[in-house]
Amino acid sequence: MFGGIACMRAIPAVITGRLFHQSLVRCDRNSKPANTNDAIATDCLSFFGQWPEPDRECFISDMRIIHQFININEESSLLDEIEPYLKRLRYEFDHWDDAIHGYRETERKHWYPKNRAILDRIVSSAFDGAAMPYVHVLDLAEDGVIKAHVDSVRYCGNTIAGISLLSDSVMRMVRTNDEEQTNEEYRQIFSKDRDKKYWADVLLPRRSLYIMKHSARYKFTHEILPGKDSWFREKFITKTRRISIICRNNPEANEQPL
């Protein structure tokens, strides 16, 4: 199984309600593209539950969204390169860890020069110039879902960064801990005592780049909400077919979880 999926440890997504909203939303759709000299990294977060202030500050620092990271022509260029291969694949609905349904995927090391330049921008923005050579391409069908999971540190380093193509979507990230990730109830982490949990919904706009690192990478489950549950700040977000192009750094880059 390819690297991005191999990173997954799955938990069923069992909550769809929009409860305990703390009304703290950081979202700037008017930020400048990341390929300009004066680009601003922004996030688009909505918090739920009783967040300890240090955890929230850490999460804001470690979960970033850069809006308009690529333009529509660059999106078309990436699609022109990957679509011919993806069209030869079938959407899969069985996953070894039950983490994802309705997907097809590939990994690519060699890219057309103009697309390689886009990927180099990701590496520069998210990894200080050092990332794994293979780039993961994940095609999620309109009715596909990525269930709540925590990435394994065995296959991925302390940072993951991905461009969202074709569709907006909402990622939900729920605070977990080491004990919950190893006990027998791990897959039901959010099925009970949800009033004691805290989490964030993250808006991933089309053509944006998300950068998930450190505490966001280690201490939170993440999932892409299914279309029927795709809400952000009481606004329905239409999710269609979504392709993500994901870069990672080496496991050797892992640090002790925060």
Side-chain angles (χ1 to χ4, degrees):
M1 190 62 66
F2 293 113
I5 299 301
C7 287
M8 292 182 174
R9 176 196 273 171
I11 319 165
V14 293
I15 182 167
T16 60
R18 299 181 299 284
L19 306 175
F20 310 111
H21 188 198
Q22 289 193 339
S23 299
L24 172 59
V25 179
R26 298 172 58 87
C27 183
D28 179 7
R29 284 185 172 271
N30 297 317
S31 62
K32 297 180 181 180
N35 56 350
T36 63
N37 292 330
D38 55 352
I40 302 173
T42 65
D43 46 16
C44 202
L45 312 175
S46 184
F47 292 89
F48 299 79
Q50 301 302 313
W51 281 71
E53 190 60 30
D55 278 16
R56 186 167 60 184
E57 291 177 357
C58 214
F59 186 84
I60 290 171
S61 174
D62 290 345
M63 185 67 210
R64 296 168 50 208
I65 306 299
I66 302 177
H67 298 278
Q68 300 298 319
F69 187 82
I70 59 172
N71 59 40
I72 191 170
N73 293 329
E74 290 171 322
E75 179 184 47
S76 295
S77 178
L78 290 166
L79 291 171
D80 286 345
E81 179 163 358
I82 61 179
E83 282 280 37
Y85 180 79
L86 291 173
K87 286 180 178 179
R88 298 200 296 267
L89 305 177
R90 295 183 305 168
Y91 283 106
E92 302 289 342
F93 291 87
D94 295 315
H95 183 258
W96 66 274
D97 204 16
D98 195 37
I100 186 169
H101 295 270
Y103 73 98
R104 48 192 183 183
E105 64 177 345
T106 186
E107 283 194 334
R108 296 180 73 88
K109 182 177 182 181
H110 303 290
W111 294 77
Y112 299 155
K114 57 185 176 181
N115 292 333
R116 181 73 257 176
I118 298 171
L119 298 173
D120 288 344
R121 292 208 324 259
I122 298 176
V123 173
S124 177
S125 297
F127 303 98
D128 296 324
M132 296 175 71
Y134 284 92
V135 176
H136 182 224
V137 179
L138 178 61
D139 181 353
L140 191 66
E142 182 170 351
D143 59 350
V145 295
I146 299 177
K147 297 182 179 182
H149 66 278
V150 176
D151 289 339
S152 170
V153 298
R154 183 177 179 182
Y155 302 103
C156 309
N158 56 29
T159 303
I160 297 174
I163 299 176
S164 300
L165 307 182
L166 296 178
S167 178
D168 296 347
S169 60
V170 178
M171 177 186 287
R172 175 162 292 157
M173 302 182 69
V174 182
R175 181 67 161 84
T176 182
N177 56 50
D178 294 338
E179 290 75 23
E180 286 176 317
Q181 291 182 28
T182 57
N183 70 19
E184 62 183 6
E185 296 180 348
Y186 174 77
R187 293 178 178 271
Q188 301 298 325
I189 184 175
F190 215 24
S191 64
K192 62 181 181 179
D193 296 329
R194 67 180 61 172
D195 59 318
K196 300 177 182 178
K197 302 291 184 183
Y198 53 94
W199 68 97
D201 284 350
V202 183
L203 180 63
L204 302 179
R206 181 179 179 179
R207 294 192 290 274
S208 67
L209 175 73
Y210 72 84
I211 302 173
M212 183 169 64
K213 60 182 181 179
H214 304 306
S215 66
R217 166 88 168 78
Y218 296 118
K219 292 298 187 179
F220 292 81
T221 66
H222 58 277
E223 63 190 290
I224 297 295
L225 297 183
K228 64 183 178 63
D229 301 323
S230 188
W231 292 82
F232 187 81
R233 293 194 71 190
E234 307 300 324
K235 178 181 178 181
F236 184 72
I237 304 299
T238 300
K239 173 191 167 295
T240 59
R241 177 191 176 206
R242 175 180 182 265
I243 295 177
S244 50
I245 297 179
I246 305 166
C247 298
R248 296 160 287 126
N249 57 357
N250 285 302
E252 290 78 9
N254 284 322
E255 299 174 356
Q256 195 67 24
L258 301 176

